[in-house]
Amino acid sequence: MGLIFIRTTIIFISLLLIMRLMGKRQIGEMQPFELVITLLIAELACIPMSDTTIPLLYGVISMIAIFFLHQIMLLIDLKCRGLKTLVAGKPAIVINKNGIDISELKKNNLDINDLIESLRGAGYFAFDDVDYALYEASGKFSAMAKENKETSAQKSSIPLLIITDGKFEKHNLDLTHTTEKYFLQILEKENIQSLKKVFVLTIDGTGKIYLQCRGEKYKILQATLPKESVW
Amino acid sequence: MVKTILSIVISFSILIGICIFESIFIHKTINSVETALIQLETKTKMQTATKADALKVNEEWQNKKRILHIFVPHNDIGYIDYWLGEAISYIESKNFDHALSKVQVLISIFNQIPEVYSLSLQNIF
């Protein structure tokens, strides 16, 4: 039984480590250790239940070991702030007053599309609708709206992603009836020589552009869209 | 907070308690059957073993194995039943050479069981 206890502990710690390394994408509204327990407990209960050649005590001991580890984690959660950060992670502020924090996104294995999806899920459709946005340690997304956020009546269409990570989104160019040349001219006016420097560029139906270059604060630009650009 | 610490202490005590009990119980049970088997091995070597001797070992094993089922996978216990049955049969038919090999395999299995469940690096990984 000592073997089972030690083996359960090793698997628990390994799984927890893997979950933490995978970043917030893999965690859905649970602390990493809670997710690990959820993953393990079902298996531990099932194996001795279905395989009659394994003593039932093996399952019971594993579950007591999991309970013991859970209580230890709970204690760490309540009492040791440093260890808590190590075990559960910390919230990642992915949008601040300067725009998108690219390094925080990368640190949590997220890309711009994940961020857009989370924003939409929280009821925001443009990056400049929020002052702050963050992923909690549990992976839950929270956002703080801008005070002068446009109401839905003022909005004409959903902002579309035109450039991400220095690459054009061809599908969205077709949707907006615009061309790469059109946006390259806008970038040129902003003194941006290389497309690779652009982390994200979105445009909405009014021609409002959200532009953020790597290592710089975001800019809001106003462009005149071609007449046929309606979406 | 007190409840959490208390539950940690209780669950840890249960785990440690069961670990110690298991270790002592398996060693004690295995040793008693192994002693009986060694006696049978000696008699088999001398070709003086009788069916009654073999059945005595079997009786000892049958009494112990019931509780052993709680700690040892049932397949392992099944193998011992199988080998012991064969040994009894060979002793009954006075085929001592075959019986000796079966008894020696049983002794080897009984030696291995406590090792398999002991806390060691090779068992953990």
Side-chain angles (χ1 to χ4, degrees):
Chain A
M1 299 301 140
L3 272 182
I4 294 169
F5 174 49
I6 293 172
R7 290 176 80 132
T8 308
T9 308
I10 292 171
I11 294 293
F12 180 87
I13 293 168
S14 313
L15 254 175
L16 186 63
L17 196 74
I18 295 295
M19 284 297 162
R20 286 280 291 111
L21 290 174
M22 279 181 177
K24 308 230 182 311
R25 185 196 281 248
Q26 301 302 326
I27 306 166
E29 303 198 10
M30 268 196 245
Q31 292 283 349
F33 77 89
E34 288 171 335
L35 181 65
V36 168
I37 286 168
T38 311
L39 288 173
L40 284 179
I41 211 113
E43 278 296 311
L44 292 175
C46 271
I47 294 168
M49 199 167 72
S50 57
D51 189 348
T52 52
T53 62
I54 299 172
L56 204 62
L57 198 63
Y58 283 30
V60 175
I61 289 294
S62 308
M63 281 187 273
I64 296 174
I66 289 287
F67 172 74
F68 170 73
L69 293 166
H70 174 265
Q71 296 303 89
I72 294 275
M73 289 296 152
L74 218 61
L75 204 65
I76 289 172
D77 215 35
L78 292 170
K79 285 282 156 192
C80 317
R81 197 171 283 268
L83 267 177
K84 184 186 174 178
T85 309
L86 195 76
V87 171
K90 55 182 181 179
I93 301 172
V94 285
I95 296 179
N96 54 37
K97 296 236 171 177
N98 290 325
I100 300 160
D101 190 332
I102 304 163
S103 65
E104 274 300 324
L105 274 184
K106 297 255 186 280
K107 237 190 265 177
N108 289 286
N109 299 332
L110 296 159
D111 66 11
I112 196 77
N113 292 308
D114 296 317
L115 181 60
I116 290 172
E117 210 178 297
S118 302
L119 269 175
R120 284 188 206 137
Y124 305 102
F125 289 84
F127 292 122
D128 61 324
D129 277 354
V130 294
D131 263 341
Y132 290 98
L134 57 107
Y135 284 96
E136 304 292 349
S138 62
K140 200 178 161 192
F141 185 79
S142 315
M144 192 174 105
K146 261 203 176 109
E147 266 183 37
N148 58 351
K149 178 179 164 268
E150 289 172 10
T151 59
S152 51
Q154 289 171 283
K155 283 180 182 167
S156 61
S157 62
I158 188 170
L160 290 175
L161 208 55
I162 302 296
I163 303 171
T164 53
D165 254 336
K167 283 177 193 147
F168 278 103
E169 294 278 335
K170 307 272 184 215
H171 177 71
N172 288 347
L173 282 176
D174 293 341
L175 267 174
T176 54
H177 300 282
T178 52
T179 58
E180 288 186 11
K181 199 179 160 193
Y182 172 80
F183 287 102
L184 286 171
Q185 279 171 352
I186 292 170
L187 293 177
E188 210 170 290
K189 270 187 209 162
E190 290 301 313
N191 232 354
I192 298 163
Q193 308 301 332
S194 167
L195 192 63
K196 282 184 182 170
K197 221 185 145 198
V198 180
F199 178 66
V200 63
L201 187 148
T202 63
I203 189 162
D204 71 8
T206 61
K208 191 174 84 175
I209 291 174
Y210 178 100
L211 167 69
Q212 187 170 352
C213 293
R214 290 177 192 281
E216 287 177 23
K217 191 180 173 177
Y218 76 93
K219 290 174 189 171
I220 299 293
L221 312 170
Q222 191 59 49
T224 314
L225 281 165
K227 271 186 186 170
E228 63 274 20
S229 290
V230 180
W231 68 90
Chain B
M1 182 72 184
V2 176
K3 219 170 131 187
T4 309
I5 293 171
L6 203 68
S7 63
I8 289 172
V9 172
I10 292 171
S11 54
F12 191 67
S13 309
I14 291 172
L15 288 167
I16 293 296
I18 293 176
C19 291
I20 294 169
F21 177 75
E22 182 216 26
S23 177
I24 295 170
F25 180 78
I26 288 184
H27 273 90
K28 213 176 148 189
T29 309
I30 295 294
N31 280 345
S32 79
V33 184
E34 204 183 348
T35 312
L37 269 172
I38 290 168
Q39 284 169 1
L40 186 65
E41 188 197 20
T42 315
K43 283 186 177 176
T44 311
K45 274 181 187 166
M46 292 161 67
Q47 303 202 337
T48 55
T50 60
K51 192 188 173 188
D53 294 325
L55 287 176
K56 203 176 147 194
V57 176
N58 189 42
E59 198 187 324
E60 174 85 11
W61 167 242
Q62 294 303 326
N63 288 337
K64 304 282 180 189
K65 83 166 187 185
R66 266 184 228 129
I67 304 173
L68 214 59
H69 269 295
I70 300 170
F71 303 104
V72 178
H74 306 176
N75 282 343
D76 292 355
I77 293 172
Y79 291 135
I80 295 170
D81 280 333
Y82 173 76
W83 287 99
L84 196 57
E86 278 199 314
I88 294 167
S89 172
Y90 282 128
I91 289 170
E92 194 180 3
S93 59
K94 306 281 180 196
N95 188 346
F96 292 111
D97 289 340
H98 280 92
L100 186 63
S101 72
K102 299 294 167 191
V103 173
Q104 281 172 342
V105 168
L106 278 167
I107 292 171
S108 163
I109 293 173
F110 275 92
N111 277 330
Q112 276 172 16
I113 287 177
E115 277 174 34
V116 168
Y117 299 98
S118 64
L119 279 179
S120 62
L121 204 67
Q122 70 264 31
N123 285 343
I124 290 170
F125 293 95

